[in-house]
Amino acid sequence: MYEYEGEDVFVIDSHLHLWDATEENIVHEGGEQFIQCFYDYHTAFTPEEKQWSLEEYRKYGADRMMEDLFGSAAVDMGIFQPTYLTDFYDEGFNTTEQNAELAEEYPERFVLNGTFDPRDGEEGLAYLEELNEKYDLQGVKLYTAEWRGDSKGWRLDSEESFRFLEKCAELGIRNIHPHKGPTIRPLNRDAFDVADVDDAATSFPELNFVVEHVGLPRLDDFCWIAAQEPNVYGGLAVAAPMAVHRPRKFGEIMGELLFWLGEDRLLFGSDYALWNPDWLVDVVMNAELTDEQRDEYGVELDLETKRKIMGENAARLYDIDIEEKKEQFRSDDVTEEFGLGDHYAGETSATPADD
Amino acid sequence: MAADSLDGDDGEVSEAAVRERLDRVTDPELDTSIVDLEYVDEIRIDGDEVSVAMTLPTAWCSPAFAWMMTTDARDEVESLPGVARARIELREHMHEREINRGVNERLSFGEAFPDADGSVDPVRAELDEKARIARQHDATGALLDAGLSETQIAELTRDDLDFDGDRARVWCRDGGLAVRVDADPLERYLEKAEATGLLDDDRPELFRTPEGDPIDPDAFETVRHRTRLAGVNMSGQGSVCDALHESRRAEDRPPLSMRSD
């Protein structure tokens, strides 16, 4: 558990990947450009002494991931969000099955999300059911902009997509995470336009739509939609590391998000291994709004707000009982392995989280 | 025009003149000059031919945006007296081949990208609209600071503005009173309001909601918040691009190992 000024903060990292971008796994030049672009994000925002080499970054493996998440006690639990990209990577970039390697070994520490692509039709529905049966899914990560054959992507508010969302509702997969981030493809359109979230959220009030990357760079459209749709949430992956080198800008973005969505609808995510939670949690917990930003937005980014963003909001969406988890984590395998007992010992704990 | 004074008396094109033209080209997503963003690597002048090399913050920068910037750069440089031809070289972009060929052979976007299912015009129009909204925030902010009321601002028309050098006069309807403010935010707003066709419709109001409707004075504050958000979005994205740009140009950056060229 992260300790902030003597107070414990339960951290659920809501955006994790266990990926393989080794040269052997790349089948298309796009796969190389993809990992290089990620690496640019990594080096652009990671403090210099915490940066990885490109080779480490291509494939870090399960042990390294466990150490990075829990070794420093920055994270208590994590949510896997798969990214298949099977056109670029032979075995996929990080599929549900690949992420399951860790999620199944440490089920108490991880939530495993699946995915669907409405272009797969009946087969896709069957795959979703199969994933659900195997892993008891609570969420799916979706890439509406992924190219496939002649298709330049799909819309969340299309008839085909609604069949899959109906299936999710029926199976109890409540958390829908559409990736709405920087534009990369297709060629002439804005593939990550967030407008399609609007109608989907209205049509499926029983589902939660967690827009990943808070729609950056369509934050304006995202906030306006979220302001009107109570079941729309914002995932902070990619926005969070701006707190390092662009703290003022981070404050402005948080100001807008808190102004339009409020503190109950924002979820922290590191997007590991884009960034390591060990330093990122620290930076976000220490981020502050300027006086000017507090006046402008009329919101606070105080400890209570941060507690919600760092874990409580995700816990609500994923039915995680934080107190019960703390109890369980006093003696689970991860605690044993990394010597985290003190963190979950309750009142007597006084060990700083990050030394 | 100011730029013409940058040309040498002997009719030769100067690098400063080329740079001034390129300065008029914006990254459409950020509404900021490509010169200020340091995308321009190199300018070479050979008689009446000019070559410009550019690198964007990431190889994955939207092909549509890259297309807009490279074609705009070509057209701006070629509008310079004494330039017969501008050649643009976009470097290290996932679609550099298609873009360089298309821009220099003067193909349409559809010809350069047979895979694309439309032109770049709708994307350009949308980005212009976002820039218009962000610029409206600065313009209405300047008018609020100058003491105009929300209702007065909502009712302003194009005819209520006139410009005198770097100052603008804003005529308020009730009282026939002119308020003088800095011209820059208003001129910048007008430029995008014109580009988006807002001033050509049959409504007279100068400022509008993001949807292009006149502003109900009771909803003025919400519209102000939405225009603020458009600006924060743009500058937030600018920070991401800026960080990627720095990272990409770092000396110890590993090479793009699997690139076929």
Side-chain angles (χ1 to χ4, degrees):
Chain A
M1 239 172 342
Y2 186 82
E3 193 175 297
Y4 180 78
E5 293 181 354
E7 302 246 13
D8 289 336
V9 179
F10 194 85
V11 177
I12 300 176
D13 188 333
S14 72
H15 203 125
L16 300 175
H17 314 281
L18 179 58
W19 73 53
D20 177 1
T22 48
E23 298 194 5
E24 304 81 72
N25 194 28
I26 291 173
V27 285
H28 181 281
E29 195 190 333
E32 178 63 16
Q33 289 176 334
F34 190 82
I35 191 65
Q36 295 247 356
C37 179
F38 269 28
Y39 191 64
D40 281 341
Y41 273 95
H42 172 79
T43 55
F45 290 98
T46 304
E48 214 172 325
E49 67 281 8
K50 306 273 188 185
Q51 290 179 12
W52 299 17
S53 74
L54 179 59
E55 286 317 305
E56 288 172 283
Y57 198 71
R58 287 181 189 277
K59 187 177 184 181
Y60 38 90
D63 291 346
R64 166 98 191 238
M65 181 165 186
M66 291 301 290
E67 171 73 37
D68 285 340
L69 298 182
F70 306 109
S72 61
V75 172
D76 298 288
M77 291 184 71
I79 304 176
F80 276 114
Q81 309 284 3
T83 312
Y84 280 57
L85 291 175
T86 37
D87 276 7
F88 286 176
Y89 299 96
D90 203 16
E91 303 284 328
F93 186 60
N94 79 113
T95 61
T96 308
E97 290 84 354
Q98 286 163 335
N99 292 330
E101 185 186 335
L102 277 178
E104 293 206 299
E105 194 178 342
Y106 303 99
E108 76 285 9
R109 293 280 182 165
F110 290 107
V111 172
L112 183 68
N113 278 352
T115 190
F116 68 71
D117 187 325
R119 291 170 297 191
D120 292 331
E122 293 303 326
E123 243 175 71
L125 285 168
Y127 180 62
L128 181 62
E129 284 193 5
E130 187 191 311
L131 280 181
N132 184 60
E133 203 149 304
K134 204 163 165 193
Y135 302 118
D136 189 21
L137 300 181
Q138 293 183 60
V140 281
K141 173 79 186 292
L142 306 176
Y143 283 86
T144 56
E146 192 170 339
W147 280 28
R148 180 176 299 179
D150 292 336
S151 162
K152 310 288 196 302
W154 53 278
R155 288 183 64 94
L156 206 59
D157 57 2
S158 62
E159 207 178 302
E160 299 75 32
S161 162
F162 273 24
R163 283 185 68 206
F164 281 78
L165 292 173
E166 275 161 22
K167 179 61 76 182
C168 286
E170 182 193 316
L171 298 173
I173 304 171
R174 294 184 318 275
N175 301 307
I176 314 296
H177 295 252
H179 169 106
K180 297 286 183 183
T183 293
I184 38 177
R185 282 170 174 256
L187 300 167
N188 57 300
R189 275 192 318 206
D190 182 351
F192 295 111
D193 178 8
V194 297
D196 58 342
V197 174
D198 200 344
D199 191 26
T202 311
S203 304
F204 292 91
E206 69 273 46
L207 301 180
N208 307 310
F209 292 83
V210 185
V211 173
E212 290 300 337
H213 316 302
V214 290
L216 284 173
R218 291 153 211 85
L219 182 72
D220 47 350
D221 300 331
F222 164 67
C223 285
W224 184 238
I225 290 168
Q228 292 155 81
E229 305 293 337
N231 54 335
V232 170
Y233 294 72
L236 288 172
V238 176
M242 288 176 82
V244 189
H245 298 306
R246 310 289 193 278
R248 248 194 100 78
K249 194 49 63 186
F250 178 76
E252 262 178 39
I253 289 173
M254 289 308 295
E256 294 289 359
L257 289 167
L258 290 167
F259 178 86
W260 294 101
L261 281 80
E263 59 188 21
D264 296 325
R265 288 200 275 150
L266 297 170
L267 276 64
F268 169 77
S270 66
D271 220 337
Y272 183 87
L274 267 162
W275 295 287
N276 256 46
D278 61 355
W279 59 265
L280 187 58
V281 167
D282 198 47
V283 169
V284 173
M285 283 304 301
N286 284 291
E288 288 177 353
L289 301 182
T290 64
D291 290 342
E292 203 186 342
Q293 286 167 347
R294 262 187 222 108
D295 290 347
E296 175 73 38
Y297 295 105
V299 299
E300 289 291 341
L301 186 57
D302 56 17
L303 181 59
E304 285 319 298
T305 305
K306 287 173 182 163
R307 262 190 214 287
K308 291 182 172 185
I309 294 173
M310 298 313 284
E312 290 173 7
N313 293 340
R316 209 173 57 248
L317 295 189
Y318 281 87
D319 268 344
I320 293 166
D321 182 331
I322 292 178
E323 290 311 314
E324 207 176 284
K325 282 287 175 188
K326 284 186 194 169
E327 188 78 23
Q328 186 183 4
F329 291 170
R330 281 185 190 184
S331 60
D332 75 334
D333 289 351
V334 174
T335 291
E336 296 296 315
E337 188 176 345
F338 296 104
L340 301 173
D342 288 352
H343 291 275
Y344 301 108
E347 304 292 332
T348 53
S349 161
T351 312
D354 55 349
D355 62 5
Chain B
M1 201 169 279
D4 295 345
S5 62
L6 294 167
D7 294 330
D9 291 339
D10 51 4
E12 277 195 18
V13 183
S14 70
E15 190 179 320
V18 172
R19 198 167 285 278
E20 193 281 333
R21 289 295 157 127
L22 292 173
D23 193 39
R24 302 177 191 191
V25 177
T26 56
D27 178 326
E29 193 181 31
L30 311 180
D31 194 24
T32 305
S33 149
I34 60 168
V35 171
D36 289 344
L37 292 165
E38 298 181 3
Y39 293 172
V40 178
D41 300 326
E42 209 182 325
I43 296 170
R44 284 197 313 274
I45 299 166
D46 183 9
D48 59 3
E49 293 205 357
V50 176
S51 302
V52 177
M54 297 168 55
T55 309
L56 302 177
T58 158
W60 287 84
C61 178
S62 155
F65 302 170
W67 179 265
M68 288 178 217
M69 287 184 259
T70 48
T71 51
D72 287 355
R74 176 196 68 198
D75 296 345
E76 279 294 346
V77 173
E78 288 188 351
S79 72
L80 198 61
V83 175
R85 187 173 160 73
R87 224 188 138 67
I88 310 294
E89 182 203 347
L90 180 66
R91 294 174 173 168
E92 289 202 15
H93 189 274
M94 64 184 298
H95 289 297
E96 64 188 39
R97 277 191 210 94
E98 292 96 322
I99 289 174
N100 288 332
R101 174 169 170 261
V103 172
N104 295 313
E105 293 181 13
R106 271 136 237 275
L107 308 179
S108 67
F109 184 77
E111 288 165 332
F113 288 102
D115 277 356
D117 48 7
S119 79
V120 293
D121 296 346
V123 180
R124 192 189 279 275
E126 194 186 321
L127 293 170
D128 270 341
E129 183 55 30
K130 290 200 171 198
R132 191 275 295 178
I133 299 165
R135 290 183 183 196
Q136 175 170 306
H137 190 73
D138 298 338
T140 55
L143 296 174
L144 286 170
D145 286 347
L148 270 74
S149 72
E150 294 180 351
T151 307
Q152 283 171 326
I153 296 172
E155 288 175 349
L156 281 179
T157 69
R158 172 71 186 83
D159 294 339
D160 295 327
L161 299 187
D162 59 56
F163 293 91
D164 178 17
D166 59 2
R167 304 292 284 172
R169 269 182 308 194
V170 183
W171 296 89
C172 295
R173 288 182 171 182
D174 53 351
L177 181 76
V179 177
R180 291 173 72 83
V181 295
D182 181 13
D184 186 59
L186 289 169
E187 281 177 337
R188 281 176 53 78
Y189 172 71
L190 282 175
E191 188 193 327
K192 284 292 174 191
E194 274 160 14
T196 53
L198 205 69
L199 302 179
D200 301 333
D201 69 12
D202 46 14
R203 292 161 166 166
E205 289 83 358
L206 180 60
F207 297 113
R208 311 286 179 87
T209 66
E211 288 76 22
D213 299 322
I215 302 169
D216 173 354
D218 291 339
F220 187 88
E221 206 182 337
T222 304
V223 174
R224 274 285 292 164
H225 287 149
R226 291 184 68 190
T227 59
R228 175 186 68 194
L229 179 56
V232 168
N233 178 50
M234 220 167 237
S235 59
Q237 181 58 11
S239 299
V240 172
C241 293
D242 188 43
L244 289 176
H245 180 84
E246 268 178 37
S247 161
R248 188 170 198 197
R249 293 182 182 225
E251 274 177 27
D252 54 356
R253 174 72 168 76
L256 288 165
S257 55
M258 285 193 43
R259 293 187 66 89
S260 51
D261 50 358

